[in-house]
């Protein structure tokens, strides 16, 4: 490995310029100054290299050494990632806190993956097997829920000469090829280039979130992408955390990018205690956290997103469905802007660099459902059909809540689902404060089969009906503004009433209520069905009964309460409710007796 | 004093606004502190903003007035800006750069710390968990403040932000039984404002436990960049070295941001929104994030920054970015103030993000969250109905809607408008249920039956009778 050695020629905030850097390449990793601060080359002019430094640059001076081995920043991938919390450049924050205490000191380094720990390795290929990049040679039970598949790294091909089960550290070879190459539990991987796969395939399964507004109205696929833009306090973080908790992904990567320290603490405190509704195991056992909070160095913030997506792709390659949450992509874009400003690049819109759009696009492009990399000619044991997915869900923080700004607009162009948060809804504490009129999902066609088969063919019809009612409510609101509610026709009054029920008793869902936090899909289906059959029933009564009587039916209150049915064995309760709602005399009687 | 630093340089090339450009001098370090002495032997402090092979850029905190290219001597201290700290600071007043302002002489430092601080490792943070009773219903019941929180007050020119802040501070001081340390950072405020706070601390007996850092309106503007960092460095020392609960009041962060803008424009950096630099978010965050609790340690830093909204504009970049960083906001409303409502806290855009951690069973009361949620929903509905009534008159409203309108009136006039008199958490809750009892049960979709039965005035009486 050639070593390039230069000298600092200028320091301005997080960007340092070095001279004498012939041979250096863009994105090469460098050590800056006496302290050896880590940085990455982001611009080259002649023998001058501009470097974004991952730590505070206080105290650096002209003439200090700068060196590089000419390779990019690499993350370590292997058992031990799950349950960890890293900063943007994969420094393990737990270990760092043991070393330096509560405050992060500059120049602290630690191995990303534990060196001493032994992992039980079980081979899945035999001696004599031919393997190539992406092939699985064995497994390690990484956590109670994650079976870590050990894959052959890129560029490695050959026939297994030796492989043995047993307990290994990540630095001991678990297998050897005939040509002498060794394979380890760990591999290293650059972060700015997508990890290879065989091909992208259509995503046709929803990421089920347990949140009604997402699962019913605006779903995202496993392998799709969604953005959540919204002004401060509208619910981006709570939404991201809620989805990270309850989504049916196998692996969750949560990137706190330039946001609050306390929010990461919250995840760290809650996730080990909460149970994954599917496995019954602690949520932390499927989660990796990356925390580069707003007060941590800005260059490492820029990197955190890539570190996160590389982890995601790595688990995708094992055949898992991974969900990556980035809170907030705007802080990442701002880091880009800040660094671009220091480079004195010509700014584009709102001071962002002209390459903002392409950076955003190539980040979201790393989501998707793929056929995972594996070598074509196998000895029959490899699972050729291995598929995995990365779903990317990005929060966007538009200045002043104005969605016309560049980060929102550029993200909007790429993402398949748009969850628009609304300050007015948040002000009235209607959560999730997702605007049902402006939000959309482009995945409905792709998901039709799944809904039809897994749930019911009624599902998408009912969804359409809900949306239609809400649309109609919006139109009627304009009339109400002019003439008042009392002068509407009875059918319109009823429509407003049912719309309100949909909003208040279906779309609204508290993230903090024990039962409400997670709503099983089947329960969502029942709730939707209950509302719509009641609506239909009431419409049938219009003209036969006075409107006041319809309005006073106990069904309304029953609908308001049905969300609190326990999440287990709810089916009989809903079946009963469905009967009561449309049974004329019976339900009324029950209501009367309740009031007494 | 300046003479202690090795060597004096006379190499100024250009002076522009608060910036001084000089020819390179060997070994000058990025961000190091410099001392400038002008021909009259007046000292000024500065900091290195950029080092290049040929040029060094220095920002001068006291402004560059009076400096001249030839005669000014520059001393490089070799170290970043640090603040001497000791428990002797209690009861003292300092200027915005940390020098004694009260004529009582220098303090004898126990430690010196760089004023920029270091980020708290998210792993080491402890979750805030204890609510602070401010005595203000619109805060306690609706937007509960929690120890270790950073909760700014967004205000408009002429609105009583200082009174509200002082009222909260008094209450916090009273409850702490003399243990609390109050740190006040004033940036560009008037002597009248300063005197107001000073008197408040004095009257509540907190002065002995207060430390003030003051940059008044006629003090150098660039110094305002230092003032919050001085206050927060001191706060961290008392919280995490000495185990104290610390309340930091910073006013006015708008002036801080404006000082930052001045430097940025002198450097001809690419301006962001309204001329503020692109790194304003990061910069504000490095101040506001200096709040919280640490695992296994006593002590806490709670921040109450005051930020003025120019033209009452909540989308102004300094307000907007503050809202994006802090853990909620208390927003003062001109409309409520005009109607004579005090404190004029506008509940709708106000928010405490840490509320959930501090309320509920075993803390405040089991019904707190639902009660708050319900009051919010009704009030928001009422405000919307009021807007409609203004257009179509109240004839178009049904009976239930009339009740909601009445609720909204009472909510503002009685619940929010409590005057200077503090209310206990218990009292605030009773007020809340009292207001709900005016509204038909069918309109109350956010409170469960069991709470209605237990806490609703009429209902509770029924239950007792039965
Ligand atoms: N789904 C939800 N259920 C209940 N409360 C919510 C929900 N979403 C948001 N909130 C409330 O809104 C506040 C702000 O949400 P947050 O996600 O922090 O906003 P943002 O990240 O957009 O600034 C939270 O502290 C919480 O009180
Ligand atoms: Mg957030």
């Amino acid at each position: 490995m050639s070593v390039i050695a230069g000298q600092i020629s200028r320091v301005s905030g997080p960007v340092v310029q070095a001279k004498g850097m012939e041979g250096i390449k863009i994105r090469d990793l460098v050590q800056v100054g006496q302290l050896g601060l880590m940085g990455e080359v982001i611009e080259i002019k002649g023998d001058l290299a501009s470097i974004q430094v991952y730590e505070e640059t206080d105290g650096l001076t002209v003439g200090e050494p700068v060196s590089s081995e000419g390779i990019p920043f690499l993350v370590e991938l292997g058992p031990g990632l799950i349950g960890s919390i890293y900063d943007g450049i994969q420094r393990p924050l737990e270990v760092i806190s043991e070393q330096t205490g509560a405050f992060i000191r500059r120049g602290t380094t630690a191995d990303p993956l534990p060196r001493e720990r032994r992992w039980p390795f079980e081979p899945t290929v035999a001696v004599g097997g031919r393997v190539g990049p992406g092939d699985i040679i064995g497994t390690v039970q990484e956590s109670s829920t994650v079976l870590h598949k050990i894959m052959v790294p890129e560029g490695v091909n050959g026939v297994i000469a030796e492989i043995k089960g047993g307990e290994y550290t990540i630095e001991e070879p678990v297998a050897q090829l005939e040509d002498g190459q060794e394979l380890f539990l760990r591999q290293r991987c650059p972060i700015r280039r997508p990890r290879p796969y065989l091909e992208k395939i259509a995503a046709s399964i929803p990421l089920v979130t347990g949140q009604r507004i997402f699962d019913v109205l605006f779903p995202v696929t496993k392998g799709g992408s969604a953005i959540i833009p919204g002004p401060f306090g509208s619910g981006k973080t709570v939404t991201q955390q809620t989805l990270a908790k309850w989504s049916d992904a196998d692996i969750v990567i949560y990137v706190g990018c330039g946001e609050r320290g306390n929010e990461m603490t919250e995840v760290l405190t809650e996730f080990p205690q909460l149970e994954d509704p599917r496995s019954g195991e602690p949520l932390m056992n499927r989660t990796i956290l990356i925390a580069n909070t707003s007060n941590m160095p800005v260059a490492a913030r820029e990197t955190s997103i890539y570190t996160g997506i590389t982890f995601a792709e790595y688990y995708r390659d094992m055949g898992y469905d991974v969900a990556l949450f980035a809170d907030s992509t705007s802080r990442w874009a701002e880091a880009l802007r800040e660094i671009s400003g220091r480079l004195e690049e010509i700014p584009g819109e709102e001071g962002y660099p002209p390459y903002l759009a392409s950076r955003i696009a190539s980040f979201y492009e790393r989501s998707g459902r793929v056929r995972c990399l594996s070598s074509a000619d196998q000895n029959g044991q490899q699972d050729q059909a291995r598929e995995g997915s990365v779903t990317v869900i990005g929060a966007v923080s538009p200045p002043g809540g104005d969605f016309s700004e560049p980060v929102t607009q550029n993200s909007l162009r790429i993402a398949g689902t748009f969850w628009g948060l609304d300050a007015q809804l948040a002000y009235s504490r209607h959560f999730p404060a997702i605007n049902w009129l402006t939000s959309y999902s482009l995945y409905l066609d792709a998901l039709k089969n799944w809904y039809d088969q897994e749930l019911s063919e009624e599902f998408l019809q009912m969804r359409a009906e809900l949306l239609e009612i809400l649309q109609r409510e919006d139109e009627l609101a304009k009339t109400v503004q002019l003439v008042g509610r009392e002068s509407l026709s009875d059918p319109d009054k009823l429509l407003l009433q049912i719309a309100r029920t949909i909003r208040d008793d279906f779309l609204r869902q508290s993230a903090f209520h024990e039962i409400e936090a997670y709503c099983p899909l089947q329960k969502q289906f029942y709730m939707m069905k209950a509302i719509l059959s009641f609506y239909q029933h009431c419409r049938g009564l219009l003209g036969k009964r006075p409107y006041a009587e319809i309005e006073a039916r106990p069904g309304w209150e029953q609908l308001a309460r049905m969300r609190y049915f326990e999440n287990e064995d709810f089916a009989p309760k809903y079946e009963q409710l469905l009967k009561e709602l449309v049974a004329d005399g019976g339900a009324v009687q029950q209501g009367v007796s309740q009031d007494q | 004093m300046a003479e202690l630093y090795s060597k004096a340089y006379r190499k100024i090339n250009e002076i522009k606004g608060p910036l001084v450009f000089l020819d390179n001098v060997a070994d000058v370090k990025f961000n190091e502190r410099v001392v400038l002495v002008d021909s009259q032997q007046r000292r000024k402090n500065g900091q290195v903003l950029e080092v290049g092979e040929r040029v060094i850029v220095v920002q001068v905190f006291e402004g560059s007035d009076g400096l001249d290219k030839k005669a000014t001597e520059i001393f490089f201290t070799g170290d970043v800006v640090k603040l001497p700290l000791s428990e002797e600071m209690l009861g003292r007043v300092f200027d915005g750069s940390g020098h004694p302002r009260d004529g009582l002489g220098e303090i004898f430092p126990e430690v010196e710390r760089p004023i920029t601080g270091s980020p708290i490792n998210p792993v080491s943070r402890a979750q805030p968990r204890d609510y602070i009773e401010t005595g203000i219903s619109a805060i306690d019941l609706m937007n509960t403040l929690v120890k270790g929180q950073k909760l700014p007050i967004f205000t408009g020119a002429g609105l009583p932000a200082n009174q509200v802040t002082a009222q909260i501070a008094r209450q916090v001081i009273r409850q702490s039984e003399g243990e609390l340390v109050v740190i006040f950072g004033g940036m560009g405020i008037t002597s009248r404002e300063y005197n107001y706070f000073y008197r408040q601390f004095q009257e509540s007996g907190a002065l002995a436990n207060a430390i003030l850092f003051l940059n008044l309106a006629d003090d150098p503007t660039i110094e305002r960049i230092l003032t919050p960092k001085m206050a927060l460095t001191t706060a961290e020392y008392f919280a995490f070295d000495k185990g104290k609960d610390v309340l930091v009041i910073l006013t006015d962060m708008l002036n801080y941001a404006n000082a930052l803008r001045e430097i940025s424009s002198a450097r001809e950096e690419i301006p962001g929104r309204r001329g503020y630099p692109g790194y304003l978010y990061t910069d504000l965050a490095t101040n506001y994030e200096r709040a919280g609790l640490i695992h296994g340690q006593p002590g806490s830093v709670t921040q109450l920054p005051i930020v003025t909204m120019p033209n009452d504009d909540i989308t102004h970049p300094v307000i907007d970015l503050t809202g994006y960083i802090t853990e909620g906001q208390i927003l003062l409303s001109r409309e409520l103030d005009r109607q004579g409502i005090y404190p004029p806290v506008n509940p709708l855009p106000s928010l405490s993000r840490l509320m959930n951690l501090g309320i509920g069973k075993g803390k405040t009361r089991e019904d707190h969250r639902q009660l708050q949620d319900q009051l919010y929903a009704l009030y928001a509905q009422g405000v919307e109905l009021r807007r409609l009534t203004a257009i179509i008159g109240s004839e178009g409203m049904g009976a239930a809607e009339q009740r909601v309108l009445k609720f909204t009136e009472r909510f503002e006039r009685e619940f929010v408008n409590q005057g200077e008199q503090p209310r206990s958490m218990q009292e605030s809750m009773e007020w809340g249920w009292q207001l709900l009892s005016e509204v038909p049960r069918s309109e109350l979709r956010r409170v469960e039956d069991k709470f209605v039965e237990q806490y609703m005035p009429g209902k509770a009486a029924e239950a007792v009778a039965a």
Side-chain angles (χ1 to χ4, degrees), chain B residues 4 87 381 461:
Chain B
L4 287 179
E87 287 182 287
Q381 194 193 343

Side-chain angles (χ1 to χ4, degrees), chain B residues 253-273:
Chain B
M253 286 301 280
L254 180 69
N255 294 336
Y256 167 84
N258 289 347
L260 212 61
R261 174 167 67 180
E262 201 174 320
I263 300 278
S264 173
S265 84
R267 292 185 74 182
E268 296 176 9
E269 290 171 335
I270 300 155
R273 292 170 66 220

